């Protein structure tokens, strides 16, 4: 167990809807990263937050957005859902901020199905 | 794109050592080699990482060649619970760096 929790575990939405996924980081970790993993592929980096600021972004459109809160918990929001957004969404936390402190610890993921 | 090359799949007999290779011929001097594994439908699990020296922990050993262009993850006594996809990733431990996952190696431990 990594101490990283995500909710909900599963979710079904329809095309065009909006969704919010939640992540609680491991105690003492101030950096959170979000990844999307389509079936049969490796995780793909969406973005990272450090101390409530976006700190890097992958090749995802602006309808993917995030927040990090003062307690370092985090949200991933996806607007205007598309069928291809169906995937496992992973949250990973790390101590962050210093070189050599960047090992990321992943949560169990939220499986999103868009119909 | 991932900066590593791994075999698509490997088999290993239960109780034997599993040796998983990884090529990273373009690795830079400040990039670490990380290994994660993912058991079906779970989040990736951190295994080990290293810069240039060999590393060992309670899960595995990491052997990095002297030129750092390749490495091998060793699970000394594989069990059925080690069946998973294993990802080798190179990444600088700098501020804001993320992990770039390739397809990984699917290891099947056979009874």
């Amino acid at each position: 167990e990594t101490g990283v929790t995500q909710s909900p575990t599963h979710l079904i939405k329809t095309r065009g809807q909006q969704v919010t996924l939640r992540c609680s980081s491991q105690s003492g970790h101030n950096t959170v990263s979000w990844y999307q993993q389509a079936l049969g592929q490796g995780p793909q980096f969406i973005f990272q937050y450090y101390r409530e600021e976006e700190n890097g972004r992958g090749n995802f459109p602006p309808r993917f957005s995030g927040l990090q809160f003062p307690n370092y918990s985090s949200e991933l929001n996806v607007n205007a859902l598309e069928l291809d957004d169906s995937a496992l969404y992973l949250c990973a936390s790390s101590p962050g901020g210093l070189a050599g402190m960047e090992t990321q610890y992943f949560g169990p993921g939220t499986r999103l199905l868009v119909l | 794109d991932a900066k590593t090359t791994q075999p698509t799949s490997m088999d290993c007999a239960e109780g034997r050592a599993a040796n998983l290779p990884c090529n990273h011929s373009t690795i830079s001097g400040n990039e670490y080699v990380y290994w994660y594994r993912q058991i079906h439908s779970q989040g990736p699990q951190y295994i080990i990482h290293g810069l240039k020296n060999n590393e060992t922990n309670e899960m595995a050993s990491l052997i990095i060649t002297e030129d750092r262009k390749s490495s091998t993850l060793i699970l000394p006594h594989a069990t059925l619970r080690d069946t998973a996809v294993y990802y080798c990733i190179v990444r600088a431990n700098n501020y804001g760096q993320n992990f770039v996952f390739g397809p990984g190696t699917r290891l099947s431990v056979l009874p």
Side-chain angles (χ1 to χ4, degrees), chain A residues 11-19 36 38 59-64 77-87 89 112-115:
Chain A
L11 200 54
I12 299 175
K13 291 285 188 178
T14 56
R15 194 169 49 183
Q17 285 189 310
Q18 179 267 342
V19 69
Q36 179 196 66
N59 188 27
F60 281 81
R63 59 190 186 83
F64 286 78
N77 298 289
V78 187
N79 294 322
L81 283 166
E82 301 176 359
L83 298 179
D84 286 348
D85 295 333
S86 294
Y89 288 85
L112 172 66
L113 177 61
V114 182
L115 301 176

Side-chain angles (χ1 to χ4, degrees), chain B residues 36-51:
Chain B
Y36 282 79
R37 72 180 182 184
Q38 189 171 25
I39 297 169
H40 182 62
S41 295
Q42 298 180 20
Q45 178 188 22
Y46 167 76
I47 301 173
I48 199 167
H49 76 284
L51 183 62

Side-chain angles (χ1 to χ4, degrees), chain A residues 30-75:
Chain A
N30 58 18
T31 300
V32 65
S33 303
W34 285 90
Y35 292 80
Q36 179 196 66
Q37 186 173 23
L39 202 60
Q41 299 181 21
Q44 301 298 309
F45 174 70
I46 304 175
F47 45 57
Q48 182 182 83
Y49 278 80
Y50 170 63
R51 292 186 175 177
E52 304 175 57
E53 297 287 331
E54 189 176 292
N55 181 36
R57 189 178 184 92
N59 188 27
F60 281 81
R63 59 190 186 83
F64 286 78
S65 62
L67 282 174
Q68 187 182 30
F69 301 100
N71 66 355
Y72 303 132
S73 64
S74 175
E75 286 182 355

